[in-house]
Amino acid sequence: MTPVLPRGNRGRLLLVLVLAALVTVFTATVPLLRDWFDLRVYYGSVDTWVHHGGRIYDYRVPGTAYGFTYPPFAAVAMLPMALVGPHTAIAAALLLNLAALAVILCLLAGPDRRRHGWFGWALTACLLALFEPLRDTVSFGQVNLVLLALVLTDATLLATGRGRLAGVGIGLAAAIKLTPALFIGLLLVTGRRRAAAVATAVALGATALAAWVDPDASRFYWTQALWDTDRVGRLGYISNQSVQGVLARLGEPDRAVWALAVLLILGVWAARARRAVAAGDWTAAFALTGLAACLVSPVTWVHHLVWLLPSFAVLLRAGRLPVAGVLYAVLCTSVVWLWFDDASGVDGFLGGNAYVWITLGLLLWLPAGQLRRGRRTGIRSTSTTTAAPVPAAPAIIPASVHTDPCSCGTAAATAGGVVAAGRAGVPGAPSEPTASTFPADPKPQSSSERASSYTADPPPS
C-alpha cells in the first residue's frame, strides 16, 4: 500500500520542513557523532608524511593507538589534504561525500530520477540522514561512498552495453581499500574477462605507483600491517557486523570455522550473481557482491554497510516496499549498540548481530535476475556486448544516457532512502574508528563517550 502524500507544493513543503525538523532533533539528541575521527587519521598521516618526514603507518591520533590502515595508494590519493588545513579538509570531505551520494542515487534511480522532482529528492535526503551506516560514514569522514560511486559507475557501463570501458572504477576502489576487490571476482565469475583485466591492471598500476612514491611504506604494509589485525581493532567489537565479528563475540577463535563460513557465502554469492547477470540484472549482481563483501570481510564496521544501498534499490524496483521499509527502519535504530557492553546470551546473539542477519538475509533472498522478462514484451536490448545478453531495460542507467541532466530535484524517493533502480519501460556506537583507527575512549560510540565507529579495540578492516 503506497502512503498518501500531499499533492500541492505548499503541503509538500510543509511535510519536508516537518521531516527535516524531526531529523535534526534526532541527530542532535541521539549519540551518533563521530567527530570526523577517521578523517583526522587520514589528515594526520598525510600531514606527518609530507611535512614532517614521518612514515604513513607510524602516525597515531593523539591520545589513541589508532593510525592509517589502508593500502599505500589510499595515502597517495589523499595527498591533496597536505595542501590545506584540517578544517578545510573536513569541509572538502563533506562535499565529496555529498557529491558521491548524489552520483550513487542518480545511478541507482536511472530514468526514475526525474519522476518526483524536488519533493522526491527532499524526502530521500531526510530518510538517508537517519540511515545509520550513511550518517556514520559522513560523521567519520570515511571514504565508503566514494568507493561505492566508483564501483556503481562500472555497473552502469556494463548495464548499458559499454562494457569495454568498465573496470577502471573497480580497480581504483580496490587499490584504495581491499574490500571492493570482490567486484573483480564478480567480473570473473560472470565471464567479463576484459573488464576484470582492466580492473586488475588499474589496481596493480595504482599499487605500483604508490610503491614508487614510497617504497618503504608499501613494503611495510604488504608484509606486516596488512596481516596485523590489531591495527584495525578488536574483532569482537559490536560495530564489527561481519561473520567474523559474530564468531568473535561467540568466543570462537578457530579460523577454520570462519573460512568454512566464507566459502559457503561466496558459493551462494557466485551462484546468485551469475543468474542475475545472465538475466541482465547488473544492479542486483553488484548489490549481491556488496552484501557478500560485507559478510566475508574480517571487519565490517557499521558505516561499511553503505554497501547495502544498492540492495534497497533492488527491493524498491521489485515492489518490496514493506520489506525495504522494515529493514531501513532497523538500520536507523543503532540497535546493535544496546549490546555494546555484553553481547552474550540469545538476545545478544540475535540483537547484537542484527545487521549481520539483515545482510545475510538480503544475500539469500534479494529479488534478482527478474529483468529478462522485458524480452518477452518485445523490448530490444541496448547491449553491444556478446559475453552475456543485457535486457532492454538496464538495471542502472547513468545520467549521461539522457539529454536531461541529473538534477538533485528529480529523483524518486521512498522508504529506505534509496531510489529505485532504473526500469525504463520494463513492467512489473562508540565512536571508535572503522577501517582506519580507533579512539581510546572506553565507549566512544555515544556523542559524549564515543568518537569513532570502532571500539577501543576495533577489528581489522
Side-chain angles (χ1 to χ4, degrees):
M1 179 177 178
T2 304
V4 178
L5 297 175
R7 294 182 179 276
N9 282 336
R10 180 175 298 180
R12 290 181 172 185
L13 179 59
L14 179 60
L15 175 59
V16 168
L17 291 176
V18 170
L19 288 177
L22 292 175
V23 168
T24 301
V25 171
F26 176 80
T27 55
T29 57
V30 177
L32 304 170
L33 302 181
R34 312 300 186 216
D35 194 26
W36 311 104
F37 187 88
D38 288 359
L39 181 61
R40 287 191 285 131
V41 172
Y42 308 151
Y43 183 85
S45 299
V46 171
D47 182 68
T48 299
W49 179 34
V50 174
H51 296 299
H52 304 287
R55 298 193 301 178
I56 298 171
Y57 297 100
D58 286 347
Y59 174 80
R60 296 291 184 274
V61 174
T64 78
Y66 308 116
F68 202 77
T69 60
Y70 292 164
F73 178 71
V76 173
M78 295 174 185
L79 276 175
M81 285 196 295
L83 303 176
V84 301
H87 296 296
T88 302
I90 290 174
L94 177 59
L95 292 175
L96 183 61
N97 271 323
L98 293 177
L101 179 60
V103 170
I104 291 166
L105 293 178
C106 283
L107 293 176
L108 291 176
D112 287 350
R113 68 180 178 276
R114 304 183 65 250
R115 192 172 59 181
H116 295 294
W118 70 269
F119 183 56
W121 276 113
L123 290 180
T124 300
C126 290
L127 291 170
L128 286 176
L130 301 177
F131 192 61
E132 183 179 3
L134 183 61
R135 71 191 183 223
D136 271 6
T137 287
V138 174
S139 184
F140 274 121
Q142 260 284 344
V143 299
N144 298 306
L145 288 174
V146 175
L147 301 184
L148 179 56
L150 287 171
V151 166
L152 287 181
T153 298
D154 280 346
T156 297
L157 293 173
L158 291 164
T160 54
R162 293 175 290 172
R164 289 182 176 276
L165 303 176
V168 175
I170 290 174
L172 287 174
I176 293 172
K177 196 171 180 178
L178 297 180
T179 303
L182 186 60
F183 288 90
I184 299 178
L186 171 66
L187 299 175
L188 289 172
V189 301
T190 56
R192 297 307 191 272
R193 294 185 178 85
R194 178 187 175 87
V198 171
T200 302
V202 170
L204 292 178
T207 300
L209 173 63
W212 175 74
V213 172
D214 193 334
D216 289 339
S218 293
R219 185 181 306 109
F220 176 77
Y221 178 79
W222 296 108
T223 62
Q224 297 183 50
L226 174 61
W227 314 103
D228 182 8
T229 58
D230 290 337
R231 290 181 59 88
V232 183
R234 180 168 54 88
L235 290 177
Y237 182 54
I238 199 65
S239 183
N240 184 14
Q241 293 291 303
S242 70
V243 170
Q244 179 74 288
V246 175
L247 294 175
R249 286 187 284 276
L250 288 175
E252 175 51 67
D254 191 349
R255 286 298 182 92
V257 176
W258 173 71
L260 178 60
V262 166
L263 289 176
L264 291 173
I265 289 170
L266 291 179
V268 172
W269 158 74
R272 298 209 71 209
R274 283 173 62 89
R275 285 197 294 270
V277 170
D281 194 350
W282 281 101
T283 304
F286 273 69
L288 290 167
T289 305
L291 295 169
C294 289
L295 289 169
V296 304
S297 175
V299 175
T300 296
W301 303 125
V302 168
H303 67 258
H304 293 166
L305 296 178
V306 293
W307 290 96
L308 270 61
L309 289 177
S311 296
F312 280 95
V314 173
L315 288 172
L316 296 178
R317 180 194 68 195
R320 307 292 178 83
L321 180 59
V323 174
V326 169
L327 298 184
Y328 158 80
V330 174
L331 285 165
C332 288
T333 61
S334 300
V335 63
V336 297
W337 296 106
L338 294 175
W339 288 271
F340 172 74
D341 292 312
D342 182 10
S344 62
V346 175
D347 63 322
F349 178 71
L350 296 177
N353 301 307
Y355 298 169
V356 181
W357 308 139
I358 289 176
T359 307
L360 182 60
L362 286 170
L363 178 68
L364 294 174
W365 294 296
L366 186 73
Q370 301 178 355
L371 295 185
R372 185 173 290 280
R373 288 193 302 252
R375 290 186 177 277
R376 299 185 191 126
T377 67
I379 299 176
R380 188 175 52 189
S381 171
T382 59
S383 172
T384 60
T385 60
T386 57
V390 178
I396 299 181
I397 301 182
S400 60
V401 175
H402 309 277
T403 56
D404 294 317
C406 178
S407 150
C408 287
T410 59
T414 127
V418 181
V419 185
R423 357 166 221 206
V426 178
S431 60
E432 296 188 74
T434 68
S436 57
T437 69
F438 312 74
D441 296 8
K443 295 184 182 180
Q445 184 75 27
S446 73
S447 54
S448 59
E449 310 169 13
R450 308 171 182 181
S452 146
S453 150
Y454 310 81
T455 111
D457 309 301
S461 51

